[in-house]
Amino acid sequence: MWVIIKLFFDICCLNKAPQDIPYSKPLLNILITIYVIIAFLILYPEDDFFRSLMQVLTELGLMIGFCWGLLCFYQKMPRFTQVLSALVGTDAFISALALPIMELVSAGVMTEPASLLILGLMIWNWVVCGHIIRNALSQSMIFGLGLAFL
């Protein structure tokens, strides 16, 4: 498990790419589960259970649909499992780092520094998504960042 965590850390540091993730549907299912749990934990303190769960599932559906549509359009569907694993895994990794900061924000402690940290994590997540898309489609980083912004 530690090897997988290090792999996602390396992808977040832009040192590795989606093709470095093993092609594994069970791994993808585990990553999706972790992603849903972490995203739910971020949203739940601010909203009710059902609304938080629906928001997380909608976000996951949009991520899967975007990844599928993008790879289908560029005729690179064999990369789907690895690219989606990279997107979900890195988002879960960065969101896990945001959990304690979000707790500070919801408690009303250090709101201004915490807000800057959250903004930094959001920008980092955007850059990582751009990096993943760039490698998945064999395009430039600017192209990947533009699609990640969508």
Side-chain angles (χ1 to χ4, degrees), residues 14 28 71 129 137 145:
L14 311 182
L28 176 60
L71 292 173
C129 286
L137 302 178
L145 287 172

Side-chain angles (χ1 to χ4, degrees), residues 3 9 11 22 30-31 37 42 45 54 56 69 83 89 110 121 136:
V3 174
F9 176 76
I11 293 172
I30 291 168
L31 291 170
I37 291 169
I42 287 177
M54 287 297 100
V56 169
V83 173
M110 295 179 17
L121 288 174

